[in-house]
């Protein structure tokens, strides 16, 4: 009986990566460029699976469309997948279309890079009221996620956004920005129409800690000031700094930049108050949410109560016993994302990750599961910027290569075998060639819109296709279609 090393040494190493967002693409790219592959010690054959018909994951469905760095990241991911040495298979859902048993039969190793798309819980009274909404759900809506409803409740004039990270700022900016400013992005028509009719006048962003402890980045913060006809409102009583804050400002240029930006806005706001805008974006610090309440048992959000906090000298906060109410008609929680469990793998419900050591997935006893790996947010939790997933992928791929000669060999490593199985099961999978067609179709929609007589000179680069069935049909259709 041959050993695993012998059975894989004469053919390419077959690797499946589940999740075609940045984490999955980076992992595939790093594996193809590893020293052993470059030196000709062994070959790899990689299939990149995605639950959606299109690639890019978080970049397509989790980042605000007006984010200034999206295009650069998409271009980088496109170059990797367009080389032709990584096969993309979209519209294939793990646990439904293919099981772990299926993957093990066709691949020597499986890497999960499924990310995190759900909102982290906020356990306070009233969180279930109508008008209490998830920031991640809103992001999915405005990014044209194919599996969410086309409509979104945008009838509130005053809105609270809870969170002090980049997602909270994205949510707030999309809520307060005038819809016409977003026409130059790829937002779908239904999103433009919904935002256009929004009666919003005030969006309040609340964070538990002080200005020196916020989690957003200077780029995201500066983006707030670019919105037309939107005033940024800050409050002097929120600008509290303790010893740890002062040290952070002295030692960290990013924190120093953000604090300087905020304090400058605080000064400028009072100097320019004579010409108020039609909408306002309020930034509040040192507020901890206590309760969302309705009006006389209506079941609809009418306001939110916070406890005022104070810094304790270490950069952390403690309650003051002082409470303050804000009348709002909608509350968005944007305190973070949370990963979802995956069939046949252990799951850490508290952290929202697959238990692992450096990317080696662990079983219930804490032992590595041969041939199963994780990278990205499902590996380490939803923290850090997109670029951080490169380091994750490097670590995970390093362990996979270390384990290479001992991996359980695939029973059927023929690259066409998985295609035959998908076709036998009637799964309408999409390909990279299909994405090129869909990409061209979305660009053509933007060009068509821009050419209309009533477009008022606005140029739309693309308009995102939303319905899954349309995405699949365009991707799988003929080149002439």
């Amino acid at each position: 009986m041959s050993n695993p090393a012998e059975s894989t040494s004469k053919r390419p190493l077959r690797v499946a990566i589940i999740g075609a967002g940045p984490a999955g693409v980076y992992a595939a790219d790093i594996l193809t460029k590893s020293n052993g592959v470059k030196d000709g010690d062994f070959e790899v054959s990689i299939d990149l699976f995605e639950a959606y018909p299109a690639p890019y994951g978080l970049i397509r469905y989790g980042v605000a469309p007006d984010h200034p760095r999206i295009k650069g990241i998409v271009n980088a991911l496109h170059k990797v997948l367009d080389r032709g040495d990584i096969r993309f298979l979209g519209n294939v859902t793990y646990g439904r279309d293919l099981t772990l048993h299926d993957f093990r039969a066709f691949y020597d190793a499986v890497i999960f890079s499924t990310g995190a798309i759900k909102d982290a819980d906020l356990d306070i009274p009233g969180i279930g009221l109508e008008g209490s909404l998830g920031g991640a759900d809103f992001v999915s809506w405005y990014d044209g996620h194919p599996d969410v409803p086309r409509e979104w409740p945008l009838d509130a004039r005053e809105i609270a956004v809870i969170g002090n990270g980049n997602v909270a700022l994205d949510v707030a900016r999309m809520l307060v920005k005038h819809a016409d400013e977003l026409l130059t992005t790829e937002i779908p028509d239904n999103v433009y129409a919904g935002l256009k009719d929004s009666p919003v006048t005030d969006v309040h962003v609340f964070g538990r800690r002080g200005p020196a402890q916020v989690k957003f980045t200077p780029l995201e913060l500066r983006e707030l000031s670019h919105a037309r006809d939107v005033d940024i409102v800050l409050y002097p009583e929120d600008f509290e700094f303790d010893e740890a804050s002062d040290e952070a400002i002295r030692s960290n240029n990013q924190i120093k930049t953000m604090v300087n930006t905020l304090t400058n806005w605080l000064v400028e706001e009072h100097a320019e108050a004579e010409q108020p805008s039609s909408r306002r974006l309020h930034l509040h610090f040192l507020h901890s949410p206590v309760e969302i309440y309705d009006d006389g048992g209506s079941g609809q959000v009418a306001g939110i109560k916070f406890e005022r906090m104070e810094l304790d000298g270490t950069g952390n906060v403690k309650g003051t016993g002082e409470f303050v109410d804000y009348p709002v008609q909608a509350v968005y929680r944007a305190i973070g994302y949370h990963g979802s469990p995956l069939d046949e793998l252990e799951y850490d419900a508290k952290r929202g990750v697959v238990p692992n050591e450096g990317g080696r997935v662990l079983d219930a006893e804490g032992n590595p599961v041969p041939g199963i790996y994780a990278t990205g947010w499902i590996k380490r939790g939803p923290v850090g910027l997109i670029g951080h997933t490169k380091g994750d992928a490097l670590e995970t791929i390093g362990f996979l290569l270390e384990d290479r000669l001992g991996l359980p060999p695939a029973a059927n490593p023929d690259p066409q075998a998985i295609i035959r199985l998908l076709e036998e099961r009637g799964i309408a999978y999409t390909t990279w060639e299909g994405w090129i067609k869909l990409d061209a179709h979305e660009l053509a929609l933007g060009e068509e819109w821009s050419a209309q007589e009533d477009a008022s000179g606005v140029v739309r680069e693309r308009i995102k296709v939303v319905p899954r069935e349309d995405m699949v049909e365009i991707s799988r259709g003929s080149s002439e279609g």
Side-chain angles (χ1 to χ4, degrees):
M1 187 174 180
S2 62
N3 65 43
E6 290 175 339
S7 64
T8 58
S9 62
K10 298 175 183 177
R11 62 167 174 81
L13 180 72
R14 290 284 286 148
V15 179
I17 300 176
I18 302 172
V25 177
Y26 291 149
D29 188 40
I30 289 168
L31 182 54
T32 61
K33 293 176 178 175
S34 60
N35 290 334
V37 174
K38 286 194 298 184
D39 296 342
D41 297 341
F42 66 97
E43 297 178 40
V44 291
S45 171
I46 302 171
D47 286 341
L48 185 62
F49 290 85
E50 174 56 58
Y52 310 131
Y56 306 143
L58 176 73
I59 295 299
R60 185 169 167 94
Y61 294 121
V63 181
D66 62 345
H67 195 294
R69 286 187 295 199
I70 285 183
K71 193 173 293 185
I73 298 171
V74 166
N75 289 342
L77 299 180
H78 180 98
K79 286 178 182 176
V80 173
L81 294 179
D82 204 43
R83 293 194 312 242
D85 56 347
I86 299 162
R87 184 167 64 174
F88 172 75
L89 295 169
N91 202 40
V92 180
T93 300
Y94 172 76
R96 184 190 69 193
D97 299 328
L98 294 175
T99 65
L100 186 59
H101 176 78
D102 294 327
F103 280 103
R104 280 192 173 283
F106 298 107
Y107 300 93
D108 306 306
V110 183
I111 303 172
F112 288 89
S113 57
T114 50
I117 60 170
K118 292 185 177 179
D119 282 290
D121 290 335
L122 178 63
D123 188 16
I124 61 173
I127 199 68
L129 289 172
E130 188 175 344
S132 173
L133 304 159
D137 293 335
F138 182 55
V139 172
S140 292
W141 175 76
Y142 67 58
D143 272 333
H145 192 296
D147 299 331
V148 303
R150 304 286 180 267
E151 306 300 321
W152 187 265
L154 287 165
D155 48 10
R157 296 178 63 85
E158 299 159 301
I159 300 171
V161 178
I162 303 172
N164 252 177
N166 284 340
V167 175
L169 289 195
D170 278 353
V171 167
R173 194 175 67 253
M174 289 294 290
L175 285 167
V176 80
K177 213 170 188 178
H178 289 278
D180 284 350
E181 282 197 83
L182 296 165
L183 280 174
T184 55
T185 75
E186 60 184 29
I187 63 166
D189 288 337
N190 67 297
V191 175
Y192 170 69
L195 293 171
K196 180 77 171 174
D197 291 339
S198 170
V200 66
T201 59
D202 293 84
V203 175
H204 300 260
V205 181
F206 295 94
R208 288 185 71 250
R209 298 200 289 170
Q213 287 81 36
V214 293
K215 296 296 184 185
F216 38 74
T217 55
L219 180 66
E220 290 283 349
L221 183 62
R222 286 194 295 268
E223 277 298 296
L224 296 182
S225 64
H226 297 162
R228 179 183 56 80
D229 190 35
V230 176
D231 285 337
I232 297 174
V233 183
L234 298 108
Y235 299 85
E237 63 269 24
D238 290 347
F239 281 72
E240 180 181 313
F241 302 95
D242 60 1
E243 295 89 336
S245 301
D246 293 336
E247 176 58 30
I249 294 167
R250 280 194 301 269
S251 61
N252 187 306
N253 283 333
Q254 178 167 302
I255 293 173
K256 180 180 180 180
T257 298
M258 287 192 293
V259 170
N260 284 345
T261 299
L262 290 166
T263 51
N264 286 341
W265 286 352
L266 183 64
V267 173
E268 293 167 3
E269 168 199 342
H270 294 286
E272 300 174 1
E274 292 138 12
Q275 293 186 327
S277 300
S278 67
R279 293 180 174 179
R280 289 160 293 281
L281 179 58
H282 307 254
L283 299 179
H284 304 268
F285 306 103
L286 299 169
H287 281 69
S288 181
V290 174
E291 177 189 7
I292 303 169
Y293 55 87
D294 61 4
D295 185 9
S298 65
Q300 169 69 44
V301 170
I304 181 167
K305 181 188 296 289
F306 291 89
E307 182 177 11
R308 291 281 307 178
M309 310 302 284
E310 61 183 6
L311 294 166
D312 66 1
T314 69
N316 291 313
V317 292
K318 58 184 179 180
T320 65
E322 176 191 348
F323 296 90
V324 58
D325 289 336
Y326 292 87
V328 295
Q329 299 82 51
V331 174
Y332 288 73
R333 62 188 182 281
I335 58 173
Y337 285 90
H338 200 73
S340 303
L342 294 164
D343 285 1
E344 301 180 72
L345 299 182
E346 292 299 310
Y347 178 64
D348 182 339
K350 184 175 181 181
R351 295 181 56 220
V353 300
V354 170
N356 69 92
E357 284 184 357
R360 288 181 173 123
V361 170
L362 305 177
D363 62 18
E365 284 72 47
N367 301 311
V369 181
I372 307 297
Y373 302 87
T375 191
W377 280 3
I378 199 63
K379 168 188 173 183
R380 63 183 167 90
V383 292
L385 302 175
I386 290 168
H388 293 160
T389 56
K390 287 184 179 178
D392 266 351
L394 195 62
E395 180 184 53
T396 295
I397 296 301
F399 282 123
L400 187 156
L401 293 173
E402 191 178 300
D403 301 339
R404 179 174 67 87
L405 297 180
L407 294 172
N412 191 348
D414 177 6
Q416 285 305 113
I418 188 67
I419 300 299
R420 288 193 291 270
L421 179 65
L422 291 172
E423 290 175 347
E424 286 169 12
R425 293 183 178 176
I427 297 165
Y429 66 90
T430 60
T431 62
W432 180 247
E433 293 73 24
W435 162 247
I436 298 299
K437 293 177 189 175
L438 180 57
D439 183 44
H441 181 83
E442 292 184 346
L443 291 169
L445 289 177
E447 190 175 324
E448 182 182 325
W449 193 97
S450 302
Q452 294 173 5
E453 291 183 11
D454 60 350
S456 303
V458 175
V459 176
R460 299 194 70 179
E461 184 176 348
R462 73 164 64 231
I463 297 175
K464 192 180 287 184
V465 174
V466 181
R468 180 183 285 264
E469 56 273 19
D470 291 354
M471 295 173 68
V472 172
E473 182 179 352
I474 294 163
S475 299
R476 289 172 62 88
S478 67
S479 298
E480 296 80 23

